[in-house]
DNA sequence: TTTGGGGGCTTGGTCAGACCATTGATTGGG
DNA sequence: CCCAATCAATGGTCTGACCAAGCCCCCAAA
């Protein structure tokens, strides 16, 4: 007994956590798969012997994580259906925590550079014609000078998302997309704060085309390098000059 | 009207979502910061004009995302306190979705290789003496041959987590740690399925020491390369041979 | 004056029961 | 045979109550 005993506080298990654990157990063991329907809330109440409020709070958590899609009414698509929508949940999550943790914007840039560099390399190695077509479509849309900055920003996001998805790695694609989406508002603010929007747009277009060409040519090294340079360069040259002292922390 | 109009379904806003939006708004605008206390549930009920169930469901979501820490009772630490615990929420999230999406294990390996390679490079560039000390401690613990496989696995995780944190990028560190934690169970199963545990442990120890030396020496290139090789090599040589046909999908 | 204990208040946790809104299926009439 | 009214199932919401955990404060005893 010479060591001071670290009395771990016994975790106060709340009812909804037990419910959540039961459902997650079914998911982790594979008994519940995407597309399966959970028993109706009232039935879970009977099965588990808890109140409906407890069941609903557990379901709410799963829904927030993008693992559940609730639908009222009757019929085959009704009820609580197991889903797999990681991007949505992850985006929400990152947005919140970037505001909370005040991630320095440089950290986000570093994360994007890392993830998207890897995604681009994967994409160059194995992009399908369909993915390349999606990327081309976004490029063409961004070539339209009449595009608003919002629309340009969205196309930009979709272009990067298409690259991430072309890599064929859903986990990395979801993380990439979520991080990009989480800074959407901030980037939009930057776009609006630019003195010479057209010059910036032209630069981005040119860099995007270069990245696309490298991916389409299957040149992993070049695609990765260009993507990383694209992200770092854009932020270094533009974002900081606009945000400077006002918002060096996380974007809202 | 030649184009088929895409009638976006109007989003059925549920009450708890409105409550959630209000609270998130306060967080995103910076009005609510880490450590601040939310009004008590009953007070939010009055302020927002909704039922307590709706308030509670919204709070539950925030809690699941690691942004809230509920505490009963009175006093300075009581009530719903804004927190920032991304790793916990992210780990839960990834665990769930790896089971749901059946991320091929190779995808997880790719993500780890990408994230940890970058983390190691950052760590080599700017690890503090404290971080290096933590890493050394974990290395020494893993040198203990009497360690159980569970304990070894945890030390292994903590070693990698220390590298990630030494890089000074919280976002990347949290993602790295979460991905590593999400496969904890799977790796443990692999450890237990090995024929020659001691040989494997010896190999891991040696690779860990090499990585540490590179980080401590400030050799970013080498640290990154060794880390990536460590992760890819381990999984290529060992994980697949154990999991093979039984669990080529996501780990539970 | 100090110390110890106990009551009470605040706060989150849980429950029961009711009603509403949406949506697909059923059924009956034209 | 088809269409419309009706019904039933399901998630969404609300009310009101009680429980349990903790802190605060006051009072009695030393």
């Amino acid at each position: 007994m010479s060591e001071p005993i670290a009395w771990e506080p016994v975790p106060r298990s709340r009812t909804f956590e037990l419910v959540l654990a039961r459902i997650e157990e079914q998911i982790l063991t594979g008994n519940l798969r995407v597309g399966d329907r959970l028993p109706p809330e009232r039935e879970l109440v009977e099965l588990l012997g808890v109140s409906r409020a407890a069941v609903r709070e557990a379901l709410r958590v799963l829904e927030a994580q993008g693992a559940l899609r609730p639908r009222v009414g009757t019929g085959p698509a009704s009820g609580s259906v197991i889903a797999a929508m990681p991007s949505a949940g992850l985006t929400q999550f990152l947005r919140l925590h970037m505001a909370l943790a005040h991630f320095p914007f440089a950290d986000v840039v570093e994360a994007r550079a890392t993830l998207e560099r890897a995604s681009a390399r994967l994409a160059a190695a194995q992009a399908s014609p369909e993915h390349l077509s999606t990327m081309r479509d976004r490029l063409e849309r961004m070539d339209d000078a009449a595009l608003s900055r919002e629309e340009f920003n969205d196309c930009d996001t979709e272009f990067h998302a298409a690259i991430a998805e072309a890599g064929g790695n859903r986990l990395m694609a979801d993380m990439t997309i979520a991080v990009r989406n989480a800074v959407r508002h901030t980037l939009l603010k930057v776009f609006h704060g630019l003195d010479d929007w057209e010059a910036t747009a032209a630069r981005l277009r040119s860099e995007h085309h270069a990245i696309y060409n490298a991916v389409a040519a299957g040149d992993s090294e070049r695609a990765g390098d260009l993507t990383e340079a694209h992200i770092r360069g854009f932020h270094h040259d533009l974002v900081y000059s606009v945000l400077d002292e006002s918002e060096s922390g996380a974007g809202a």
Side-chain angles (χ1 to χ4, degrees), chain A:
Chain A
M1 290 285 189
S2 57
E3 280 254 343
I5 305 178
W7 283 103
E8 288 278 326
V10 54
R12 295 188 334 103
S13 262
R14 294 167 288 180
T15 309
F16 90 90
E17 286 181 322
L18 302 177
V19 177
L20 187 55
R22 292 294 182 92
I23 300 176
E24 280 187 332
E25 183 188 339
Q26 301 293 314
I27 292 176
L28 292 177
T29 60
N31 284 349
L32 278 177
R33 325 181 68 137
V34 174
D36 290 351
R37 292 173 51 180
L38 241 51
E41 293 179 0
R42 292 165 178 81
E43 198 170 319
L44 280 175
V45 165
E46 287 185 13
L47 290 172
L48 302 175
V50 299
S51 75
R52 203 173 152 208
V55 169
R56 285 179 59 79
E57 287 181 19
L59 297 184
R60 207 54 75 212
V61 171
L62 291 174
E63 186 193 338
Q65 292 178 335
L68 214 58
R69 186 221 52 180
R71 203 57 65 90
V72 296
T74 64
S78 72
S80 299
V81 182
I82 302 291
M85 312 173 293
S87 307
L90 203 48
T91 298
Q92 273 293 103
F93 179 91
L94 285 180
R95 249 169 59 87
L96 200 57
H97 279 282
M98 279 202 284
L100 279 177
H102 279 277
F103 286 133
F105 204 82
D107 283 11
V108 182
V109 173
E110 183 70 38
R112 281 196 66 198
T114 298
L115 286 171
E116 302 209 21
R117 175 194 175 84
S119 290
R121 291 170 62 100
L122 290 174
Q126 59 178 79
S128 70
E130 290 74 29
H131 285 123
L132 289 175
S133 162
T134 303
M135 288 154 64
R136 268 199 311 278
D137 175 67
R138 296 305 183 279
L139 284 181
E140 285 164 14
R141 282 207 224 167
M142 276 186 281
D143 284 342
D144 179 357
L147 228 51
S148 74
R149 300 179 191 193
E150 280 84 358
E151 292 165 325
F152 187 96
N153 188 29
D154 287 343
C155 273
D156 190 340
T157 298
E158 287 167 23
F159 175 71
H160 284 271
I163 294 178
E165 289 181 342
N169 186 323
R170 277 242 56 85
L171 175 56
M172 293 197 51
D174 285 332
M175 289 197 292
T176 301
I177 295 171
V179 174
R180 179 59 171 81
N181 278 332
V183 293
R184 179 179 179 279
H185 284 36
T186 308
L187 288 187
L188 204 48
K189 188 154 68 176
V190 171
F191 280 1
H192 277 114
L194 289 174
D195 296 328
D196 189 350
W197 161 245
E198 261 314 315
T200 300
R203 167 181 172 176
L204 294 180
R205 285 189 195 105
S206 139
E207 293 182 357
H208 284 157
H209 276 95
I211 291 172
Y212 169 80
N213 289 335
V215 170
D219 188 342
S220 286
E221 287 301 324
R222 187 168 162 73
D225 289 346
L226 285 176
T227 301
E228 182 169 355
H230 168 61
I231 292 171
R232 288 192 196 278
F234 174 70
H235 287 89
H236 181 268
D237 297 350
L238 301 172
V239 176
Y240 291 139
S241 68
V242 172
L243 293 183
D244 58 23
E245 75 280 356
S246 70
E247 282 250 356
S248 64

